[in-house]
Amino acid sequence: MGFQLSSLLHELTQSRQTLSVAKQLHALIVRLNLSSDPFFATKITRLYSINHDLHSARKLFDETPDRSVYLWNSLIRAYAQEHKFKDAFYLFTHMRCSGTPPDNYTYACIIRACTERTDSFGLRIAHGGVIVSGLEFDSVTSSALVSGYSKLGLVDIAQTVFDGICEPDLVLWNSMIAGYGYGRPWCESLKLFSKMRKMGKDPDGYTFVGLISGVNDPRLLGVCRGIHCLCLKNGLDSNSHVASSIVSMYSRCNCLDSAYKTFSGLPHPDIVQWSSLITGLSQTGNSEEALFLFREMILEGERPDPALIASVLGDSSKLAMVEPGRQIHSFVFRHGFGSDVKVASSLIDMYTKCGAPKLGVRVFEIMHERNVVTYNSIISGLGSNGLISEAFLVFQEMVEKGFKPGVSTFSALLSNCSHGGLVREGREIFRRMEEDFGVTPRIEHYVYMVKLLGLAGELQEAYDLIKKMKVPPDSGVLGALLSCCVVHGDSKFGRIVADMLSEIDPNKTAYRVMLSNIYAAYEKWDEVKKVRDEIFVSGLRKTPGISCI
């Protein structure tokens, strides 16, 4: 008995165990009549959670009569990590009703869950619970709140939480420094970093990762090199996450030579460092180099994650090269990434943008799990390849399956109608958008509708639509109508729209030039001279055309 218990305790302390081993340990706990002990129940629950077996974890939790705060936390964290936020919040509510008071780790988990689901209201409610529980000065909850508010763009509230701590520890400093990277000018992050050092706090790897995360301006290259030197001076250049951040920083600042040099200096680059360089190349428009480096990474035996695969599939789309995309698809199929929704959506997008819509449809058809993003990808892809009726059928299926179309869905549908000249269908989609689905039209939706109506000769209807907009029309919407006036040679609306555009952007001569072209097409030379004189009197000049020869 003593030997079995000692062996059991040793196995339970191991950080990783397979699902099979977890079940064997669970069976041993049951045989030793220890299954009702919350300590052992917590250990097994964590092992089940690590192996994504939430059903077994919940069953064990329900069968444990005496539940400690650690057991509650284990299951709440497990649900949150699997993005089952509804279950996590339900369990949190049930925990409070059961008489077990949440601790700082409970609230930290709930705060992160609110952040993941971009729920600012829920985050404020959790913050209120933290204050009521007397945990507002706790380092764990404060760091989670600072990070959560920053990621949701509420940096001022994050700063207020930070300022309320008399002696912030390094974790809290790191959270606030990283927080500035989400919603403030980067220089404020550097000021906070300097303040931290003056107060005697030595930065660690997480400090530099947070500081680096907000640097994305090529003009800050000198600062980038200064930060790199600081990392070398503190002996953090060998830290995997710091090295990856430095590579990514140089890539974002379009200094690829330094990014390559830093990467090449790593003795054994891991997947994070490979991903940083490849993603950096993608973001700076070096798609061919990104695809080449991805191939090198595969040959080195590194296994990419779904996010990186989706990124390089985007590079194939940008280059309109289907062959690299097909090779990546083969890799996806061989290594079992086909069930990942993000990867599948990227495959659909790649095939449709490379002119192979049938292959995109095939990927869509064999998907086991779909979401709104997947449907948006196939609807947009089919429409861009002229298969508009098929795109509408997919939209109908999407609604029947219970998915709620969003802003991007209607952008894709209205774009399809605009390209296909489907005025009746466009009107119907635009009507249903707000009436049936509660999606408020945005500027891009008005642009598509104005182009659709204007090119069909319905200039009055397009103009009336602009007048009814709930937001002030911008140059995109008015420019679309002016282009349609040029197509139809309508000087009446052309003059009205050109005047409206000149009020929005008085320094731009292109709108007046377009109006003069309308008059010129109908040989109204007096009007042409009048418009040209207006440009001259206002002190503006049309940029002259030049030849590349």
Side-chain angles (χ1 to χ4, degrees):
M1 173 72 176
F3 173 76
Q4 284 185 320
L5 187 58
S6 175
S7 176
L8 174 63
L9 289 170
H10 173 73
E11 290 297 324
L12 289 173
T13 57
Q14 303 303 307
S15 58
R16 298 288 301 185
Q17 294 284 17
T18 64
L19 182 59
S20 175
V21 171
K23 289 185 174 181
Q24 291 174 38
L25 293 172
H26 189 184
L28 181 58
I29 286 171
V30 172
R31 199 174 74 186
L32 296 173
N33 295 319
L34 297 170
S35 55
S36 60
D37 188 319
F39 170 79
F40 291 101
T42 301
K43 291 290 186 182
I44 297 298
T45 298
R46 287 177 178 171
L47 290 180
Y48 280 137
S49 303
I50 289 169
N51 290 284
H52 312 289
D53 187 356
L54 291 184
H55 175 75
S56 297
R58 183 57 187 264
K59 189 171 183 294
L60 173 58
F61 174 85
D62 291 338
E63 292 171 352
T64 307
D66 298 320
R67 298 164 186 164
S68 66
V69 67
Y70 307 108
L71 181 56
W72 283 99
N73 289 351
S74 295
L75 194 59
I76 291 171
R77 187 185 301 112
Y79 278 125
Q81 287 174 343
E82 293 293 326
H83 285 200
K84 295 183 180 293
F85 300 123
K86 188 176 180 181
D87 294 307
F89 288 119
Y90 172 79
L91 207 62
F92 174 66
T93 305
H94 187 40
M95 175 187 185
R96 298 178 71 183
C97 295
S98 71
T100 304
D103 66 2
N104 52 353
Y105 290 100
T106 318
Y107 279 110
C109 184
I110 290 299
I111 289 165
R112 291 189 190 102
C114 291
T115 307
E116 286 285 322
R117 66 186 296 194
T118 62
D119 181 3
S120 59
F121 179 75
L123 180 56
R124 291 173 190 269
I125 295 295
H127 190 179
V130 167
I131 294 171
V132 170
S133 301
L135 296 167
E136 67 268 34
F137 302 118
D138 177 77
S139 173
V140 174
T141 52
S142 298
S143 297
L145 284 168
V146 167
S147 179
Y149 279 126
S150 300
K151 288 179 179 177
L152 296 182
L154 304 170
V155 185
D156 288 332
I157 302 178
Q159 181 71 60
T160 302
V161 174
F162 179 81
D163 291 341
I165 308 298
C166 296
E167 294 184 9
D169 62 9
L170 185 58
V171 176
L172 194 54
W173 279 104
N174 290 349
S175 297
M176 195 64 242
I177 287 170
Y180 276 120
Y182 294 108
R184 287 288 184 89
W186 179 81
C187 60
E188 294 194 27
S189 182
L190 187 60
K191 288 177 185 176
L192 195 65
F193 174 74
S194 300
K195 182 180 177 181
M196 184 191 86
R197 295 182 71 200
K198 287 177 183 177
M199 294 181 69
K201 292 285 184 183
D202 292 325
D204 63 1
Y206 293 103
T207 316
F208 282 106
V209 169
L211 182 64
I212 288 168
S213 63
V215 185
N216 53 14
D217 191 336
R219 291 174 295 181
L220 295 173
L221 189 56
V223 177
C224 293
R225 289 180 173 141
I227 295 172
H228 192 177
C229 289
L230 270 176
C231 292
L232 292 169
K233 191 180 291 185
N234 285 271
L236 294 168
D237 56 307
S238 58
N239 180 295
S240 174
H241 291 293
V242 174
S244 303
S245 298
I246 291 169
V247 170
S248 183
M249 173 183 68
Y250 280 130
S251 300
R252 290 195 305 270
C253 292
N254 210 16
C255 185
L256 298 179
D257 288 341
S258 295
Y260 270 120
K261 189 175 180 180
T262 304
F263 178 81
S264 302
L266 301 171
H268 302 289
D270 60 18
I271 183 61
V272 179
Q273 291 151 356
W274 280 100
S275 298
S276 296
L277 184 55
I278 293 170
T279 305
L281 289 167
S282 300
Q283 291 172 346
T284 52
N286 295 279
S287 296
E288 288 188 45
E289 290 89 339
L291 288 168
F292 174 79
L293 205 65
F294 180 77
R295 182 174 177 275
E296 290 293 306
M297 185 192 78
I298 299 298
L299 293 174
E300 289 288 330
E302 291 291 345
R303 184 182 173 92
D305 61 5
L308 182 57
I309 293 171
S311 174
V312 291
L313 283 169
D315 288 308
S316 188
S317 301
K318 291 172 190 172
L319 296 169
M321 294 171 61
V322 74
E323 191 52 39
R326 287 173 67 97
Q327 293 173 8
I328 296 168
H329 191 180
S330 298
F331 177 87
V332 166
F333 182 78
R334 289 197 309 272
H335 292 84
F337 287 112
S339 59
D340 185 273
V341 178
K342 188 173 185 179
V343 171
S345 299
S346 298
L347 281 168
I348 293 168
D349 186 64
M350 181 273 297
Y351 278 128
T352 53
K353 285 183 177 176
C354 291
K358 290 184 179 179
L359 294 174
V361 170
R362 180 61 183 150
V363 173
F364 177 77
E365 288 174 344
I366 63 176
M367 287 181 69
H368 299 296
E369 182 184 350
R370 298 169 184 168
N371 63 9
V372 174
V373 176
T374 313
Y375 275 101
N376 290 349
S377 295
I378 193 68
I379 289 169
S380 177
L382 288 169
S384 64
N385 283 276
L387 304 171
I388 300 173
S389 58
E390 288 86 342
F392 277 107
L393 289 174
V394 173
F395 172 67
Q396 185 178 342
E397 177 193 312
M398 175 186 183
V399 175
E400 290 172 354
K401 295 274 187 181
F403 292 97
K404 185 179 178 182
V407 170
S408 299
T409 314
F410 288 105
S411 290
L413 288 168
L414 290 173
S415 174
N416 294 346
C417 292
S418 179
H419 290 141
L422 305 176
V423 179
R424 183 174 60 83
E425 291 83 352
R427 288 189 184 119
E428 180 65 11
I429 287 292
F430 193 78
R431 181 192 65 79
R432 292 186 65 194
M433 177 178 169
E434 191 162 17
E435 291 183 11
D436 296 352
F437 300 102
V439 177
T440 303
R442 295 190 181 180
I443 289 292
E444 63 261 32
H445 302 124
Y446 284 107
V447 170
Y448 290 129
M449 276 304 295
V450 167
K451 284 179 66 178
L452 174 62
L453 295 169
L455 290 174
E458 304 289 346
L459 295 173
Q460 181 67 57
E461 186 179 348
Y463 180 70
D464 290 341
L465 180 65
I466 290 175
K467 298 296 284 183
K468 292 177 184 176
M469 285 176 62
K470 296 177 182 178
V471 294
D474 67 357
S475 57
V477 179
L478 294 170
L481 182 55
L482 184 58
S483 298
C484 296
C485 292
V486 172
V487 171
H488 292 285
D490 192 311
S491 57
K492 173 192 168 186
F493 278 117
R495 164 64 74 173
I496 295 170
V497 177
D499 288 341
M500 293 171 70
L501 281 164
S502 295
E503 289 179 13
I504 294 173
D505 192 353
N507 295 321
K508 195 165 184 178
T509 61
Y511 310 126
R512 295 290 179 185
V513 172
M514 290 172 71
L515 178 61
S516 74
N517 290 341
I518 297 174
Y519 289 130
Y522 288 85
E523 298 185 358
K524 296 181 178 180
W525 305 116
D526 291 340
E527 295 294 337
V528 171
K529 183 178 184 303
K530 184 179 177 182
V531 173
R532 295 280 178 169
D533 288 344
E534 287 174 3
I535 297 174
F536 178 76
V537 169
S538 61
L540 300 175
R541 289 187 62 193
K542 175 185 177 296
T543 304
I546 58 172
S547 171
C548 62
I549 300 174

